[in-house]
Amino acid sequence: RTLMKMLTKQQINDELLKHYIDRYGERNTDVWYEQPATNVWVFRRNGKIITLICHILTGVVTEQIEEGR
């Protein structure tokens, strides 16, 4: 049985940044929120709250989009 090794904080940040740039592109108007966890980035754009979540073993980034309140 192979144990998977957790990604480092730097690897997680690299995956989140790549996803953010590839999917959204950098904008100075994005409003960033405090990170709720090491593997989570949250920002507001165009009235939506976008949460990017990096899987700590695989590096796969998923996202949740909600209407801002």
Side-chain angles (χ1 to χ4, degrees):
R1 192 172 108 147
T2 305
L3 291 177
M4 291 186 78
K5 190 173 177 186
M6 275 188 5
L7 298 175
T8 65
K9 285 181 185 181
Q10 185 61 58
Q11 289 170 316
I12 289 169
N13 279 336
D14 290 348
E15 292 298 330
L16 287 166
L17 181 61
K18 181 181 183 324
H19 184 89
Y20 168 70
I21 291 171
D22 289 351
R23 176 94 164 82
Y24 295 98
E26 289 183 271
R27 285 197 193 163
N28 291 335
T29 54
D30 288 340
V31 176
W32 289 92
Y33 295 94
E34 188 173 336
Q35 269 186 281
T38 301
N39 64 323
V40 179
W41 286 6
V42 183
F43 67 100
R44 176 189 289 266
R45 179 183 286 186
N46 299 332
K48 297 194 181 333
I49 304 295
I50 301 165
T51 304
L52 305 179
I53 305 161
C54 180
H55 191 285
I56 61 172
L57 299 176
T58 65
V60 173
V61 176
T62 55
E63 55 189 58
Q64 297 174 350
I65 301 173
E66 305 169 63
E67 289 299 323
R69 302 186 219 347

